[in-house]
Amino acid sequence: PTPAHYFISLLHAKGLLLRNFTQNIDNLERACGIPDDLIVEAHGSFNTASCFSCGKKCTDMDAFWNQVKNDLLPTCSCSGIFKPDVVFFGQSLPSRFLDLSQQDFKECDLIIVMGTSLTVYPFASLVNYVADDVPRLLFNRDAVGAFRKAAKFTIKGEE
């Protein structure tokens, strides 16, 4: 995990994190201690896997990854193939992302956006889901999306 992941973990530890919405599929949020119920993975995750045929969840991810490392296809009891629960191009986003984005952004009193180009939709539009009076804070190399024109303050670090 990076210092940014640990910053999110610190927000959780202080009781300030409503939810962490992420496009990442790498499980780094979990690695720094953010609980599963506070993580919303818009593009899925390598943390779980499901059968491509019947939809059954893989119950032993250690065995799954051992098979993958040994160039074997992890198979389900139905003889289908397990795949990590990541969203491929053309697949729908997880319902958890859609449901919680509608719920959480109504309750949000500050939105922090970090490390993104804000070009992939619908994720890029989340900053617009909060009320107009909710502060938006961007930690990023460049101003992106709605932050390009609407930023009240900009602090540039060293390149």
Side-chain angles (χ1 to χ4, degrees), residues 50-61:
S50 299
C51 177
F52 214 67
S53 298
C54 73
K56 179 181 175 184
K57 290 284 188 189
C58 179
T59 57
D60 188 346
M61 288 304 292

Side-chain angles (χ1 to χ4, degrees), residues 87-101:
V87 176
F88 290 146
F89 183 78
Q91 288 184 309
S92 298
L93 296 181
S95 59
R96 177 173 164 77
F97 168 77
L98 301 171
D99 295 342
L100 289 176
S101 63

Side-chain angles (χ1 to χ4, degrees), residues 3 18 53 64 89 107 109 116 141:
L18 173 62
S53 298
F64 172 92
F89 183 78
E107 297 178 36
D109 60 5
T116 181
R141 187 178 327 163

Side-chain angles (χ1 to χ4, degrees), residues 20-67:
N20 179 55
F21 286 76
T22 182
Q23 296 179 92
N24 298 326
I25 59 174
D26 53 19
N27 293 317
L28 292 176
E29 292 84 4
R30 281 182 187 82
C32 65
I34 300 171
D36 285 352
D37 64 318
L38 296 185
I39 302 170
V40 177
E41 295 150 322
H43 298 142
S45 160
F46 282 117
N47 193 52
T48 58
S50 299
C51 177
F52 214 67
S53 298
C54 73
K56 179 181 175 184
K57 290 284 188 189
C58 179
T59 57
D60 188 346
M61 288 304 292
D62 289 332
F64 172 92
W65 288 114
N66 283 332
Q67 290 175 327

